[in-house]
Amino acid sequence: NDNYKISRDTLGYKDQDMWQCHINLLEYIEDYAGMFVPRSESTKEDLKLVWELDHKWRETRKQNEQANLMQNSANAEMKKKNYPRALEYYNRAVKARIDRTDIYLERSNLFFITGQYEKAILDSTIIITMIDEVHTSLKHSGTYVEALYNRAKSKKFLSKLVDAKKDLLLALDIDEDSIDCKKLLSEVNTLLLLNKDQDKSDEKELELKNDDNNADKTDMSLDEDEILLNGSIEFMKSADDKTSDAEHPLFNSLYKLLKRSDVYYK
């Protein structure tokens, strides 16, 4: 991921080979050979498969041992608050086994401590996605809940409060007794309420400002009306011809003058 990009060519294994043997099948079958490997013409092929599985078991054990070594070194550096060095070890641990959710979880904690909230969210999301799609047996585990909590915590600091609340509610559906999630949810709800009150206050302030602007426009319109009325009177007073024959042209001119005003003609 963007937190630590690893070229596939640099990995000592392929994606499709990342499944893990949890028992040494060679030793298992040796103990119960008569039951699981019947003596027949197919024994040779069976033994070949056994050797392949045994090799797989040894490889995954070696990878996990390397990942554990790097993880322990990173944790030691975390205690010293030597975060750059700890990050280097966590990256090496991820490279040793890119499917280890526990390593991503610890690295997300490092990112949160150092204020790299977007990166903390990314690592937490990787954990959640892997558990949803691959390690489904961990769906109701502490790892899943902690990943949701870490992501929500980081989102809170980025003011993504609605998304943070969604993560916390999902975590509490799994572990309703999580004190950390309950406490953080209370903080998020308080911030949402404060933001809502602030939005209302801003809206009210904007309405008052608009009312003031409308009042200014009304005052301006009244001033314009007064000027227009006085001008009309002066216009009629200034007429040279006061006879009835001149009355129609005079009022026709006055009409044209008043028509320019939106107050009288819309």
Side-chain angles (χ1 to χ4, degrees):
N1 61 66
D2 290 339
N3 287 346
Y4 179 59
K5 293 185 177 181
I6 305 173
S7 173
R8 292 178 183 270
D9 297 334
T10 64
L11 295 175
Y13 48 86
K14 296 180 181 179
D15 294 351
Q16 63 268 26
D17 294 331
M18 290 196 66
W19 58 274
Q20 299 187 50
C21 289
H22 296 284
I23 58 173
N24 185 337
L25 287 181
L26 181 60
E27 295 176 0
Y28 186 81
I29 293 177
E30 282 177 348
D31 290 342
Y32 302 95
M35 294 177 60
F36 294 95
V37 186
R39 302 302 177 181
S40 66
E41 293 181 359
S42 64
T43 301
K44 185 176 180 180
E45 291 299 321
D46 293 335
L47 288 175
K48 182 180 178 181
L49 176 60
V50 169
W51 281 109
E52 290 177 354
L53 291 173
D54 179 68
H55 175 71
K56 175 63 179 175
W57 177 80
R58 294 179 188 278
E59 283 297 309
T60 55
R61 184 179 66 176
K62 183 179 178 181
Q63 292 162 3
N64 280 309
E65 286 176 350
Q66 178 66 14
N68 290 338
L69 177 62
M70 295 297 104
Q71 184 182 28
N72 292 336
S73 298
N75 291 340
E77 295 299 330
M78 286 290 289
K79 291 179 180 179
K80 300 175 186 177
K81 297 186 178 181
N82 187 354
Y83 301 124
R85 187 64 173 167
L87 178 58
E88 184 179 341
Y89 281 123
Y90 279 135
N91 290 342
R92 291 181 184 179
V94 167
K95 187 174 181 179
R97 283 298 300 191
I98 60 174
D99 62 339
R100 288 272 298 269
T101 56
D102 56 328
I103 299 172
Y104 287 108
L105 186 62
E106 291 177 2
R107 193 172 68 172
S108 73
N109 288 331
L110 181 152
F111 285 134
F112 180 82
I113 291 171
T114 55
Q116 301 177 74
Y117 303 122
E118 291 288 359
K119 291 186 176 182
I121 290 172
L122 180 56
D123 268 1
S124 299
T125 301
I126 289 172
I127 298 166
I128 294 165
T129 302
M130 281 201 294
I131 292 176
D132 283 339
E133 299 180 2
V134 182
H135 307 301
T136 53
S137 61
L138 299 177
K139 192 67 179 285
H140 296 279
S141 69
T143 300
Y144 194 67
V145 171
E146 193 169 351
L148 288 167
Y149 171 76
N150 279 4
R151 190 166 72 173
K153 186 168 57 172
S154 299
K155 287 178 178 178
K156 174 200 165 190
F157 276 85
L158 293 175
S159 298
K160 299 178 180 180
L161 301 176
V162 175
D163 289 341
K165 183 175 181 177
K166 290 179 182 178
D167 282 343
L168 292 169
L169 291 176
L170 181 56
L172 288 170
D173 280 342
I174 298 169
D175 182 7
E176 60 182 12
D177 296 323
S178 174
I179 301 300
D180 289 336
C181 289
K182 286 181 178 180
K183 182 179 178 182
L184 184 58
L185 180 59
S186 176
E187 294 173 4
V188 169
N189 283 333
T190 300
L191 290 172
L192 284 170
L193 184 60
L194 290 174
N195 286 353
K196 187 176 181 180
D197 290 341
Q198 182 62 43
D199 290 340
K200 288 183 178 179
S201 177
D202 292 342
E203 289 177 3
K204 187 174 183 180
E205 184 177 347
L206 182 61
E207 289 176 359
L208 291 173
K209 186 175 181 180
N210 290 335
D211 290 342
D212 291 340
N213 290 337
N214 291 334
D216 293 340
K217 289 180 181 178
T218 302
D219 292 341
M220 187 179 296
S221 298
L222 292 175
D223 292 340
E224 290 176 352
D225 293 344
E226 186 177 355
I227 292 172
L228 186 59
L229 178 61
N230 292 334
S232 301
I233 295 173
E234 292 298 324
F235 178 77
M236 288 186 289
K237 285 182 179 179
S238 64
D240 295 330
D241 190 350
K242 308 290 185 180
T243 63
S244 58
D245 293 337
E247 183 179 85
H248 181 73
L250 176 64
F251 280 98
N252 187 46
S253 298
L254 182 60
Y255 165 76
K256 291 180 179 179
L257 178 64
L258 294 175
K259 189 176 181 181
R260 298 175 186 174
S261 173
D262 292 336
V263 176
Y264 299 101
Y265 294 92
K266 294 183 179 180

